[in-house]
Structure formats: structure tokens, C-alpha cells
């Protein structure tokens, strides 16, 4: 009986812990075009030489086929993918 009484406070604390309301941080809205990729959409299908990274104010990453890249998401970074022939195939933020 004494063992049960010793466990009672522990059980009560654990039971109450489940009743505590948790407030989760909610992230702000994700902007789809933080990097301005929509403004460069007309370059898809054109030679990579038509893209001038010096005119872009945000960070730029040019990705060749099979390129190794970091998997971190940076909404302000402009990504330019091109194929083996040097034709732009995709422009996106991330």
C-alpha cells in the first residue's frame, strides 16, 4: 500500500502534464516569389548566355545537369537550371 501512495504524486504530475495547453509558433506566410523568379520566366527555353546574374539583386545559383547543391531553402535565392546544351529549363526561388 505504501508503494502505491509513493507513486500517486508521480502519476498525478504526469497526468496533469498532458492537460497543459501548448502554444506552437506559427510561421509567417511563405511568399512564393521572394526572389523575383516570375520576372525571369521569359528566359526559360533561351540560352543561358541571355541571363545576366549581375542584374539580379538577390543571391543567384546556376545549376547545371547533375550539379551538387545544398538542400537548404532560401526563399530570396534565385535558382537557374539549364540543360546540357546550355538552355534554361527552370527558374525558381529556393
Amino acid at each position: 500500500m505504501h508503494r502505491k501512495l509513493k507513486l500517486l504524486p508521480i502519476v498525478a504530475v504526469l497526468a496533469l502534464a498532458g492537460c497543459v495547453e501548448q502554444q506552437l509558433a506559427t510561421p509567417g506566410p511563405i511568399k512564393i516569389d521572394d526572389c523575383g523568379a516570375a520576372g525571369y520566366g521569359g528566359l526559360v527555353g533561351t540560352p543561358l548566355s541571355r541571363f545576366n546574374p549581375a542584374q539580379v539583386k538577390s543571391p543567384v545559383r546556376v545549376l547545371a545537369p547533375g550539379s551538387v547543391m545544398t538542400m537548404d531553402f532560401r526563399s530570396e535565392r534565385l535558382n537557374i537550371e539549364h540543360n546540357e546544351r546550355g538552355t534554361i529549363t527552370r527558374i525558381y526561388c529556393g
Side-chain angles (χ1 to χ4, degrees), residues 5 7-8 19-20 22 24 28 30 33 36 44-45 48-50 53-56 60 63 65 68 78 81 86 91 93:
L5 289 177
L7 290 177
L8 186 60
C19 296
V20 175
Q22 293 182 355
L24 301 176
I30 297 174
D33 196 28
V44 174
L48 183 60
S49 60
R50 296 223 17 229
Q55 294 178 340
V56 181
V60 176
L63 302 162
V68 177
L78 182 68
E81 289 183 3
I91 299 176
C93 299

Side-chain angles (χ1 to χ4, degrees), residues 43-90:
L43 291 175
V44 174
T46 66
L48 183 60
S49 60
R50 296 223 17 229
F51 173 71
N52 182 358
Q55 294 178 340
V56 181
K57 295 177 182 169
S58 62
V60 176
R61 180 166 62 174
V62 178
L63 302 162
S67 293
V68 177
M69 66 176 152
T70 61
M71 296 306 293
D72 61 319
F73 180 81
R74 295 180 52 197
S75 63
E76 75 281 0
R77 179 173 49 206
L78 182 68
N79 293 292
I80 310 290
E81 289 183 3
H82 63 89
N83 62 18
E84 302 83 16
R85 295 181 306 278
T87 302
I88 297 173
T89 56
R90 183 177 177 210

